């Protein structure tokens, strides 16, 4: 299987947005609320939650995002602190619910594939 050409190994799961959502008003794709919460839950000694809570949201537009994904100096100019989202919106209880929902969905899909 050529992983670059054949996407049949990918599994699409749908999550309840009420259970799997930490952001609703900003693009949150790198070190924002979701990733910061996940890291704080998994590696609490590596995340300075007080610093994260003091950060302001990046408020990128989709036009900004199209430029940001080019990386390098362009991305640094758009998000000079390196994050894209709202890391101040850390929520460990919601990320735990989200992690559990993801594990449940993937487990169910694995069982489904094994039974067919």
């Amino acid at each position: 299987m050529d992983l670059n050409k054949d996407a049949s190994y990918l599994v699409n799961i749908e999550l309840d947005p009420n259970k799997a959502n930490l952001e609703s008003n900003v693009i949150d794709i790198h070190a924002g609320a979701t990733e910061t919460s996940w890291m704080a839950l998994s590696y609490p000694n590596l995340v300075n939650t007080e610093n994260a809570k003091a950060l302001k949201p990046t408020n990128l537009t989709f036009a900004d995002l199209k430029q940001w994904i080019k990386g390098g100096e362009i991305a640094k100019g758009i998000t000079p602190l390196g994050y894209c989202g709202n890391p101040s919106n850390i929520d460990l209880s919601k990320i735990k619910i989200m992690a559990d929902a993801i594990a449940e969905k993937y487990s169910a899909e694995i069982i489904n594939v094994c039974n067919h």
Side-chain angles (χ1 to χ4, degrees):
M1 173 188 319
D2 183 344
L3 297 181
N4 293 318
K5 293 180 181 175
D6 179 15
S8 66
Y9 63 93
L10 296 175
V11 176
N12 182 27
I13 62 167
E14 292 191 23
L15 298 173
D16 180 345
N18 296 316
K19 292 183 178 178
N21 186 17
L22 293 175
E23 291 291 336
S24 60
N25 59 349
V26 298
I27 296 171
D28 183 66
I29 60 169
H30 180 63
T34 302
E35 287 184 354
T36 302
S37 295
W38 212 308
M39 289 298 295
L41 179 69
S42 301
Y43 306 99
N45 295 335
L46 298 179
V47 178
N48 186 326
T49 55
E50 292 309 310
N51 280 356
K53 288 178 183 179
L55 296 170
K56 295 188 184 314
T58 53
N59 294 316
L60 268 62
T61 65
F62 284 107
D64 295 330
L65 184 60
K66 285 182 181 179
Q67 295 301 308
W68 185 83
I69 61 173
K70 294 177 181 179
E73 293 302 316
I74 294 170
K76 287 180 189 176
I78 296 170
T79 56
L81 295 177
Y83 66 93
C84 181
N86 185 6
S88 68
N89 198 25
I90 293 171
D91 190 326
L92 298 183
S93 62
K94 275 193 174 181
I95 202 68
K96 176 73 171 113
I97 292 168
M98 184 175 174
D100 291 346
I102 290 170
E104 183 179 314
K105 290 286 189 172
Y106 276 114
S107 298
E109 188 60 30
I110 290 168
I111 291 168
N112 182 43
V113 168
C114 291
N115 287 334
H116 286 95

